[in-house]
Amino acid sequence: MMFLAETATEAVESTYSHFDIFMLVFTILIAAGLFRLLLQRPRKNVLAIGFSTVALLVFLAADYKMVSGWVW
């Protein structure tokens, strides 16, 4: 019985590290930059909008995977 309890506690190990905070901050910065690019009035830089959209999608996917590994 103790073997099963020990195995269960090992399986519920958190994958949180301090680098996760930086990932979340970078995601917020990319989102803010994309928002500013979209609000630009005279001419919009389509290449920058496309690049930041792809970067934001990659970071959001990484953040989702990262947060799903955390144990609450």
Side-chain angles (χ1 to χ4, degrees), residues 6-30:
E6 183 179 331
T7 306
T9 57
E10 288 177 2
V12 186
E13 186 175 331
S14 177
T15 60
Y16 174 79
S17 71
H18 295 297
F19 180 71
D20 296 348
I21 305 275
F22 289 110
M23 286 289 291
L24 293 173
V25 168
F26 289 147
T27 304
I28 292 169
L29 287 175
I30 292 171

Side-chain angles (χ1 to χ4, degrees), residues 24-44:
L24 293 173
V25 168
F26 289 147
T27 304
I28 292 169
L29 287 175
I30 292 171
L34 177 61
F35 184 70
R36 288 190 66 206
L37 281 170
L38 290 172
L39 291 181
Q40 199 173 13
R41 284 287 175 204
R43 272 186 9 203
K44 295 187 186 226

Side-chain angles (χ1 to χ4, degrees), residues 35-67:
F35 184 70
R36 288 190 66 206
L37 281 170
L38 290 172
L39 291 181
Q40 199 173 13
R41 284 287 175 204
R43 272 186 9 203
K44 295 187 186 226
N45 190 347
V46 181
L47 179 65
I49 291 172
F51 186 82
S52 58
T53 301
V54 170
L56 182 62
L57 290 175
V58 168
F59 269 74
L60 285 174
D63 287 342
Y64 174 75
K65 184 70 174 164
M66 174 185 69
V67 171

